[in-house]
Amino acid sequence: MIELLNLQKQYATIEGELIDSFTNVLKSGQYILGPYVQQLELEIAKKIGVKEAIGVASGTDALILTLSAYNIGAGDEVITTPFTFIATAEAIAQVGATPIFVDIDPTTGLIDVSKIEQAITERTKAIIPVHIFGQPADMDEINHIATTHNLVVIEDACQAFGATYVNKYAGNLANAGCFSFFPTKNLGGIGDGGIITTNDQALAKKIRVLRVHGSAKKYFHDELGFNSRLDAVQAAIILVSLQHIDSWNKTRRDLASNYIEAIDKIEQIDAIIEKEDRKHVYHLFSIRSKQRNHIMQFLAESGIRTAVYYPCCLHLQPAFKYLGHQVGHFPNAEQLSNEIFSIPLHPFLTTKEQNVILHALRKSVKK
Ligand SMILES: *Cc1c(COP(=O)(O)O)cnc(C)c1O
């Protein structure tokens, strides 16, 4: 089977470095926060080009702590996309605010910026664009709208470590950026983890307090917070992967451009469009077709793994039933969720495997 992702191969290529780092953590006796987390925070801030990075327990928590630090909660509305992983809107709901969905551009899967303004009300406090599949959202337009209406912008960059927009990295395109180190993300650890990037030093200070139960001074609590700390093992492992991420992302982009060139010639299949002013990092390589289910079955029979990200839009999830949405409210997102699927793409996919996949794709479509 050609898998969507091959973490064993990734591990094997850096095994020695990982074991050394892991052993160093074990010997250090300091397993939560500490020097490895500090080093990771410094290196990620430097890489992304921001003043601060704050390690937390997951990408979901990165969103929750950032929203909390901006005092967003009950009675507030936060605009986001219905075409994302549940965590984006779940974080909004978990701080007590209401997720307000805005439909997407079906060619990219990104929030449709032309529809944001009509969703803004007196209660709107923030916009969370999602850099879906690894491609930054239309940040100039989003930041312009946010400035006009005095809103905060938080990037959900969980799928986009190393992606760029014009000449800046994702995570440095708004008030704050949230990343996930979930193992399958393009910069992943060996457990849960996340990080927030920002140039807002007051925000960073607040998040550093929130992640340790609201204490700036140990055992003294001016406010209530969370237990959401990055652990040293994740930090040490990610410090190793960080040395390889540019080369891994480049391989992802090279493989993606082979796919795009070939898929261009298959009438029944469309690739997600990569916009000119940005660099997509292809956390997932997603394509769309009216024949999706048939193609996926054909590929499965040819030994090729595929998966649908995401089969159900957030506004139609039972968990968000209370928002009162119905089929038809966000037609582009719904249509994309009916047509989209991902094919294998990771830094260790060989050209030979890619050719097998392309051959199967060409054979799969019905005229
Ligand atoms: C993975 C992901 C998250 C959540 O990250 P976790 O580390 O799993 O909590 C949030 N948003 C998006 C778009 C994601 O892909």
Side-chain angles (χ1 to χ4, degrees):
M1 202 78 192
I2 304 178
E3 298 293 341
L4 276 181
L5 191 70
N6 193 330
L7 291 179
Q8 289 100 325
K9 258 196 196 171
Q10 179 171 316
Y11 170 71
T13 63
I14 53 172
E15 184 173 17
E17 296 166 77
L18 289 177
I19 289 177
D20 287 348
S21 295
F22 190 75
T23 311
N24 289 340
V25 173
L26 289 179
K27 285 181 183 161
S28 78
Q30 200 170 350
Y31 307 131
I32 300 273
L33 296 178
Y36 290 96
V37 172
Q38 262 170 14
Q39 191 189 340
L40 182 71
E41 291 178 342
L42 289 174
E43 289 196 19
I44 288 202
K46 194 168 146 220
K47 169 84 187 166
I48 300 296
V50 291
K51 290 186 183 142
E52 298 266 1
I54 311 100
V56 294
S58 68
T60 307
D61 275 6
L63 291 162
I64 290 177
L65 268 70
T66 305
L67 288 164
S68 302
Y70 277 121
N71 295 316
I72 292 167
D76 298 333
E77 294 178 352
V78 178
I79 291 173
T80 193
T81 158
F83 189 78
T84 176
F85 180 55
I86 183 86
T88 317
E90 186 184 33
I92 297 166
Q94 290 295 17
V95 299
T98 304
I100 302 296
F101 297 119
V102 166
D103 209 359
I104 56 162
D105 172 347
T107 66
T108 58
L110 298 169
I111 194 166
D112 181 345
V113 289
S114 73
K115 298 191 175 124
I116 292 178
E117 241 164 349
Q118 64 208 55
I120 294 174
T121 72
E122 280 161 22
R123 292 166 179 260
T124 310
K125 291 284 153 54
I127 307 172
I128 306 186
V130 178
H131 304 328
I132 198 77
F133 304 136
Q135 169 161 236
D138 300 315
M139 295 308 296
D140 280 350
E141 291 87 341
I142 292 168
N143 286 328
H144 179 75
I145 295 167
T147 308
T148 310
H149 296 271
N150 198 20
L151 307 176
V152 163
V153 180
I154 302 166
E155 296 170 67
D156 182 336
C158 287
Q159 302 186 357
F161 193 93
T164 60
Y165 177 90
V166 190
N167 54 5
K168 280 186 183 172
Y169 278 110
N172 186 16
L173 304 172
N175 296 88
C178 297
F179 292 91
S180 165
F181 299 133
F182 187 78
T184 63
K185 303 292 159 99
N186 53 340
L187 182 64
I190 57 166
D192 276 311
I195 206 160
I196 298 143
T197 54
T198 185
N199 285 310
D200 180 343
Q201 284 168 315
L203 179 80
K205 195 171 167 198
K206 189 131 195 242
I207 293 171
R208 286 184 198 283
V209 170
L210 283 177
R211 75 176 170 181
V212 287
H213 305 282
S215 66
K217 189 174 158 206
K218 214 170 184 181
Y219 305 120
F220 291 87
H221 308 270
D222 293 330
E223 59 184 317
L224 297 178
F226 302 83
N227 173 6
S228 184
R229 299 167 293 204
L230 187 61
D231 66 77
V233 166
Q234 300 316 323
I237 296 283
I238 294 155
L239 277 165
V240 173
S241 292
L242 195 58
Q243 309 305 311
H244 301 274
I245 192 69
D246 287 345
S247 127
W248 291 343
N249 279 343
K250 181 175 185 305
T251 309
R252 284 177 187 271
R253 288 181 51 73
D254 290 346
L255 289 164
S257 77
N258 296 343
Y259 268 147
I260 289 166
E261 202 186 315
I263 287 166
D264 239 12
K265 300 193 183 85
I266 311 175
E267 199 191 318
Q268 299 85 346
I269 303 176
D270 290 309
I272 285 289
I273 305 282
E274 175 171 339
K275 293 196 152 183
E276 259 171 29
D277 52 0
R278 57 205 86 173
K279 261 192 193 158
H280 192 319
V281 287
Y282 296 95
H283 160 64
L284 288 166
F285 190 83
S286 297
I287 57 182
R288 55 189 302 203
S289 176
K290 299 238 185 287
Q291 299 180 22
R292 176 181 75 188
N293 296 351
H294 164 75
I295 298 170
M296 285 180 71
Q297 193 182 338
F298 188 96
L299 292 183
E301 285 161 9
S302 314
I304 298 158
R305 189 85 66 196
T306 62
V308 176
Y309 302 94
Y310 294 92
C312 177
C313 297
L314 297 191
H315 66 287
L316 300 176
Q317 296 284 355
F320 284 124
K321 196 164 177 215
Y322 70 93
L323 295 173
H325 291 298
Q326 289 162 22
V327 173
H329 279 187
F330 303 105
N332 290 342
E334 291 165 26
Q335 191 187 348
L336 194 59
S337 74
N338 288 327
E339 295 181 358
I340 198 121
F341 63 110
S342 300
I343 56 176
L345 187 142
H346 59 81
F348 305 93
L349 188 76
T350 63
T351 316
K352 201 173 147 206
E353 287 171 325
Q354 188 172 39
N355 289 335
V356 170
I357 296 163
L358 283 171
H359 179 72
L361 270 181
R362 283 188 205 99
K363 270 180 58 185
S364 71
V365 293
K366 292 185 283 196
K367 297 291 166 210

